[in-house]
């Protein structure tokens, strides 16, 4: 069961994004560019900019003491800054480098590039390393946590595609309200899920239900804008 | 590891609310001390004052003989485990544990060695590359402890670290914390509102209420000799029975009249009451723990002059014991009896009091009149 859950987590976090990326790249000419830019945006923003910046801020004694005493507020602050910076960065990258590639399919490709890289690095690689090191000891809840994590990563992929489509809509229509909607919704979801995990101590299934609910709403939005595009 | 001394510590907020009043405690090197009390009693505030997260408005806080009231938290060499665990969500378990050591600018090999050692101690080796969101509550709690112990702090503070875990996991973690203390030998100050945690973990327990220390003693002494009605009611489950009663002298013996039943006190208790000037007809509150009552023939035979009769209102089977909720002429008494008792709801039964275990509380002061405290040391006189 543990091996199955490990394989399931790897499939959801690495194999699925790679398959979608290959399909998009091969089937739709020219989608490699938004895919690569999506992945680069994650690497540049999240790994090279935001996380080191957060670590730098946390290394300040006053800040770390404040966090210890106001952990819930810290999670709200963390979610807000992460969302605002991530979406502004995404907006800038698309605006500068992909200004003429803002179709819905471009949005899907960018979202898969961004989200796929994120899921692969944060979950998939960890599971692979654990298997290779044979250090993953079956403990109470590990198997179910891995299964939930796998499904959670699929939800994250859908959400990343949705955020990208909203940003592209903002650029296409030159209406900043789509950027604000994107930031507002993403902040809401990440903040509630972080508070749920760390402060309200939701169990993994409740958290998963929350993620699936929003991923389904996002999937409906994605389907809707594709339908609208086809009609026009 | 270190000695920790709190001398006349006070905490008054700007709005005038007094959270902690004249708190005095000497904690010895390697001791495991528990602060216990209901919500809002000032136990977490005291802990946060020790950590440096709250200003001290009065008194002296000493670590290893040095006054640290005004020292920055980082300079106190204290680590704290929070109820929320306060893990950084964007860091892996390893990074969370490394973080305080990186801030302290320790060399990389030293950091690796300490993290690996703590991970081994807490069984976290297989989880080092995972992020907190992928961990269960118990695992997160262990990471928070790991992050605290890697610093090798002089004092380890824990603020209700188990309160977010389910009952089963809480039991497991209690054992793990006990083992950890045994292994590290650290000075630990632990805050909880759970008296079971307090009784099972602590070398000594500080019982607090309304910002004041009620009693400081070993778990056994708190259970056997509570200084007042609050401590008696707080320690022990089910709670101690408190019964309104009147003292009655018959010759050399003293009885307490409980709902028309006379219950004889043990000779040493009667002597102590007389010595303290308690007289015939005086109203008192009798305290008796449910487990010191019994309905077995042996118990009834052993205490023939300490019996009451009542109707069983509720019967609870708990497996190893049974609880009987008995109405004695309008007074509710809980008795913990053998599981094979034939008694059921509606039965009229006799309950015997183990009269060596009876406590008498003064009606006005609520103090246990059978317990003496040395005024200079504040400790129990046995």
């Amino acid at each position: 069961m543990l091996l199955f859950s490990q394989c399931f987590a790897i499939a959801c976090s690495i194999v699925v994004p790679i398959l979608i990326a290959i399909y998009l790249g091969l089937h739709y000419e020219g989608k490699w560019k938004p895919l690569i830019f999506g992945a680069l945006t994650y690497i540049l923003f999240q790994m090279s900019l935001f996380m080191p910046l957060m670590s730098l801020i946390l290394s300040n004694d006053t800040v770390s003491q404040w966090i210890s005493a106001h952990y819930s507020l810290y999670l709200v602050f963390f979610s807000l800054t992460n969302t605002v910076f991530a979406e502004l960065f995404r907006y800038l990258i698309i605006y500068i480098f992909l200004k003429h590639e803002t179709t819905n399919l471009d949005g899907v490709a960018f979202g898969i590039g961004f989200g796929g890289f994120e899921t692969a690095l944060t979950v998939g690689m960890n599971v692979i390393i654990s298997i290779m090191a044979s250090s993953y000891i079956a403990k109470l809840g590990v198997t179910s946590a891995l299964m939930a994590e796998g499904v959670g990563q699929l939800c994250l992929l859908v959400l990343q595609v949705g955020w990208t489509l909203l940003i592209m809509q903002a650029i296409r229509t030159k209406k900043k309200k789509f950027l604000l909607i994107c930031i507002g919704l993403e902040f809401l979801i990440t903040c509630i899920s972080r508070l749920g995990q760390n402060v309200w101590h939701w169990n993994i299934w409740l958290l998963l239900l929350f993620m699936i609910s929003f991923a389904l709403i996002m999937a409906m939005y994605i389907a809707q804008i594709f339908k609208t595009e086809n009609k026009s | 590891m270190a000695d920790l001394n709190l001398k006349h510590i006070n905490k008054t907020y700007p709005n005038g609310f007094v959270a902690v009043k004249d708190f005095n405690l000497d904690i010895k090197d390697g001791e495991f001390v528990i602060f216990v009390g209901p919500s809002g009693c000032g136990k977490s505030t005291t802990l946060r004052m020790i950590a440096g997260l709250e200003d001290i408005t009065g008194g002296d806080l000493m670590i290893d003989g040095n006054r640290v009231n005004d020292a920055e938290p980082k300079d106190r060499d204290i680590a704290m485990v929070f109820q929320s665990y306060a893990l950084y969500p964007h860091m892996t378990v390893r990074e969370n544990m490394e973080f305080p050591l990186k801030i302290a600018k320790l060399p990389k090999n030293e950091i690796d060695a300490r993290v690996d050692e703590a991970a081994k101690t807490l069984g976290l080796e297989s989880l080092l590359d995972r992020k907190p969101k992928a961990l269960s509550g118990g695992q997160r709690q262990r990471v928070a402890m790991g992050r605290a112990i890697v610093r090798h702090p002089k004092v380890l503070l824990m603020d209700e670290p188990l309160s977010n875990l389910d009952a089963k996991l809480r039991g497991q973690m209690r054992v793990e914390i006990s083992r950890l203390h045994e292994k590290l030998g650290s000075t630990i100050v632990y805050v909880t509102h759970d008296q079971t945690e307090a009784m099972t973990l602590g070398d000594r327990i500080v019982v607090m209420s309304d910002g004041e220390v009620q009693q400081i003693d070993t778990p056994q002494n708190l259970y056997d000799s509570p200084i007042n009605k609050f401590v008696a009611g707080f320690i022990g489950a089910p709670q101690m029975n408190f019964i309104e009663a009147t003292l009655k002298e018959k010759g050399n013996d003293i009885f307490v009249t409980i709902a028309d039943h006379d219950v004889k006190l043990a000779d040493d208790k009667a002597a102590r009451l007389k010595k303290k000037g308690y007289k015939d007809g005086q109203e008192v509150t009798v305290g008796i723990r449910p487990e010191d009552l019994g309905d077995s023939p042996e118990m009834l035979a052993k205490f023939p002059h300490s019996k009451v009769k009542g109707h069983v209102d509720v019967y609870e089977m708990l497996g190893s014991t049974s609880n009987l909720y008995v109405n004695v002429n309008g007074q509710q008494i809980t008795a913990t009896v053998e599981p094979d008792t034939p008694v059921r709801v509606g039965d009229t039964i006799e309950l015997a009091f183990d009269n060596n275990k009876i406590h008498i509380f003064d009606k006005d002061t609520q103090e246990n009149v059978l317990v003496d405290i040395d005024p200079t040391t504040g400790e129990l006189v046995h």
Side-chain angles (χ1 to χ4, degrees):
Chain A
M1 191 60 188
L2 179 67
L3 186 65
F4 175 76
S5 61
Q6 286 171 326
C7 293
F8 182 75
I10 292 169
C12 293
S13 54
I14 298 181
V15 179
V16 170
I18 287 177
L19 286 179
I20 299 174
I22 291 172
Y23 174 78
L24 284 171
L26 295 179
H27 202 263
Y28 298 98
E29 211 175 303
K31 296 303 170 224
W32 288 113
K33 191 180 170 189
L35 263 168
I36 291 164
F37 268 94
L40 281 175
T41 305
Y42 176 76
I43 298 168
L44 278 174
F45 167 71
Q46 204 76 1
M47 298 184 69
S48 311
L49 199 68
F50 187 73
M51 293 310 173
L53 186 70
M54 282 308 286
S55 297
L56 191 70
I57 294 169
L58 291 173
S59 63
N60 180 294
D61 285 327
T62 315
V63 174
S64 59
Q65 278 156 33
W66 183 87
I67 289 169
S68 304
H70 307 91
Y71 189 57
S72 305
L73 278 178
Y74 160 68
L75 290 178
V76 175
F77 169 78
F78 180 77
S79 304
L80 184 65
T81 46
N82 195 2
T83 305
V84 170
F85 284 108
E87 294 320 319
L88 286 179
F89 204 78
R90 195 193 311 247
Y91 182 91
L92 277 176
I93 292 282
I94 295 172
Y95 189 81
I96 296 167
F97 299 105
L98 301 166
K99 205 171 183 178
H100 304 295
E101 280 131 328
T102 55
T103 64
N104 291 334
L105 264 178
D106 289 321
V108 173
F110 189 100
I112 294 294
F114 188 108
F117 221 82
E118 185 179 11
T119 61
L121 283 185
T122 55
V123 175
M125 290 312 289
N126 280 335
V127 179
I128 289 176
I129 289 166
S130 301
I131 295 172
M132 284 168 70
S134 304
S135 62
Y136 217 92
I137 300 159
K139 283 194 174 133
L140 191 70
V142 165
T143 308
S144 54
L146 273 171
M147 300 286 281
E149 219 172 287
V151 180
Q153 296 312 304
L154 291 180
C155 295
L156 199 77
L157 267 186
V158 176
L159 289 172
Q160 285 298 348
V161 169
W163 306 139
T164 311
L165 287 173
L166 274 167
I167 297 293
M168 286 193 164
Q169 217 167 340
I171 292 169
R172 248 190 345 248
T173 59
K174 292 182 178 142
K175 284 180 182 167
K176 296 283 189 296
K177 74 171 181 187
F178 290 108
L179 175 64
L180 292 176
I181 290 170
C182 175
I183 289 174
L185 281 175
E186 191 179 342
F187 166 64
L188 190 77
I189 296 170
T190 51
C191 187
I192 292 176
S193 65
R194 284 208 173 100
L195 288 170
Q197 272 179 336
N198 298 291
V199 179
W200 302 323
H201 299 281
W202 288 354
N203 70 39
I204 47 169
W205 302 113
L206 181 60
L207 199 67
L208 189 61
L209 186 69
F210 177 81
M211 290 298 288
I212 289 173
S213 307
F214 274 96
L216 280 177
I217 294 169
M218 189 58 91
M220 282 158 67
Y221 161 74
I222 295 167
Q224 183 63 39
I225 60 165
F226 267 93
K227 209 186 275 179
T228 314
E229 188 185 56
N230 288 341
K231 273 183 193 167
S232 62
Chain B
M1 290 176 280
D3 289 331
L4 185 66
N5 310 99
L6 292 92
K7 296 179 190 296
H8 306 290
I9 295 287
N10 283 284
K11 175 70 188 178
T12 308
Y13 286 103
N15 63 4
F17 175 72
V18 182
V20 179
K21 292 172 215 162
D22 197 27
F23 192 110
N24 290 287
L25 176 66
D26 293 325
I27 300 173
K28 289 189 285 289
D29 186 12
E31 201 176 3
F32 197 143
V33 172
I34 312 273
F35 294 173
V36 70
S39 297
C41 70
K43 54 190 189 301
S44 287
T45 308
T46 310
L47 195 79
R48 292 162 67 85
M49 283 194 281
I50 297 172
L53 300 172
E54 293 266 5
D55 291 333
I56 298 170
T57 33
D60 297 313
L61 175 67
M62 321 282 283
I63 297 176
D64 273 344
N66 301 314
R67 189 176 183 275
V68 294
N69 285 42
D70 304 316
E72 286 292 313
K74 67 181 171 61
D75 300 327
R76 296 186 186 199
D77 204 358
I78 279 175
M80 188 158 170
V81 179
F82 294 88
Q83 187 178 356
S84 62
Y85 316 139
L87 300 177
Y88 301 126
H90 63 289
M91 294 183 190
T92 62
V93 169
R94 179 180 282 282
E95 286 164 347
N96 263 287
M97 287 166 68
E98 282 175 348
F99 196 67
L101 304 178
K102 279 184 176 168
I103 291 177
K105 296 189 171 56
L106 261 64
K108 176 86 173 73
N109 56 350
E110 174 75 11
I111 292 175
D112 288 344
R114 285 203 195 185
V115 170
D116 290 342
E117 186 196 357
K120 196 177 169 192
T121 304
L122 293 159
L124 290 169
E125 299 126 299
S126 58
L127 304 171
L128 285 171
D129 297 319
R130 298 180 74 74
K131 289 202 173 172
K133 71 173 181 181
L135 304 179
S136 67
Q139 288 165 342
R140 267 183 246 174
Q141 207 273 339
R142 284 211 295 271
V143 177
M145 284 206 290
R147 196 174 57 176
I149 65 171
V150 289
R151 290 174 50 191
H152 296 172
K154 282 182 177 172
V155 182
L156 187 55
L157 308 178
M158 297 190 181
D159 190 3
E160 308 220 21
L162 307 185
S163 60
N164 291 319
L165 306 180
D166 61 49
K168 190 180 168 192
L169 203 50
R170 218 163 37 227
Q172 290 171 358
M173 288 308 297
R174 269 207 314 264
V175 177
E176 285 198 29
I177 290 175
S178 230
R179 280 201 194 117
L180 190 68
H181 176 240
E182 202 66 27
K183 192 169 179 179
L184 303 175
S186 347
T187 307
I188 298 181
V189 185
Y190 185 108
V191 161
T192 180
H193 61 267
D194 181 342
Q195 60 102 18
T196 313
E197 259 172 51
M199 294 290 279
T200 50
L201 285 172
D203 293 326
R204 277 194 303 159
I205 299 173
V206 179
V207 184
M208 294 183 73
S209 172
D210 292 332
E212 286 183 279
V213 173
Q214 300 294 311
Q215 187 170 359
I216 303 172
D217 219 320
T218 61
Q220 191 68 55
N221 280 347
L222 284 179
Y223 179 83
D224 290 337
S225 310
I227 198 171
N228 57 31
K229 211 174 144 183
F230 177 83
V231 177
F234 198 81
I235 301 294
Q239 196 191 356
M240 181 185 277
N241 294 290
F242 296 111
I243 311 157
E244 300 311 314
T246 312
L247 295 178
K248 186 189 270 186
E249 274 192 73
K250 287 184 194 170
N252 283 331
D253 295 330
I254 291 186
F255 289 77
V256 280
T257 306
I258 298 169
D260 299 332
H261 298 83
D262 288 344
V263 173
K264 185 178 175 291
L265 295 182
D267 292 343
D268 61 323
K269 294 188 188 289
R272 206 172 273 194
L273 274 175
K274 280 181 193 169
K275 193 178 158 194
K276 291 201 168 177
Y278 283 83
K279 292 191 179 76
D280 185 58
Q282 194 159 343
E283 289 188 348
V284 291
T285 303
V286 167
I288 182 87
R289 295 201 182 277
E291 50 275 31
D292 297 328
L293 292 158
D295 65 339
S296 65
E298 299 80 30
M299 186 89 173
L300 293 166
K302 194 174 174 188
F303 302 102
H305 305 296
S306 307
K307 294 188 290 191
V308 295
K309 197 179 267 185
H311 294 281
V312 178
D313 284 342
V314 178
Y315 161 83
E316 282 179 348
M317 173 61 185
L318 301 175
S320 59
T321 56
S322 292
N323 287 336
L324 303 176
Y325 296 83
V326 184
N327 186 326
V328 182
N329 289 348
Q331 298 252 34
Q332 275 295 334
I333 295 179
T334 308
T336 300
V337 298
E338 294 296 316
D340 56 357
T341 180
V343 172
R344 292 295 180 268
V345 173
D347 290 354
T348 300
I349 61 160
E350 275 194 316
L351 278 178
F353 285 57
D354 179 344
N355 64 7
N356 297 303
K357 306 280 179 68
I358 288 175
H359 303 268
I360 305 287
F361 300 96
D362 189 283
K363 283 275 280 185
D364 299 324
T365 64
Q366 313 271 301
E367 283 175 4
N368 189 343
V369 298
L370 300 175
V371 167
D372 290 318
I373 298 288
D374 184 329
T376 51
T377 62
E379 288 176 1
L380 279 178
V381 179
H382 295 283

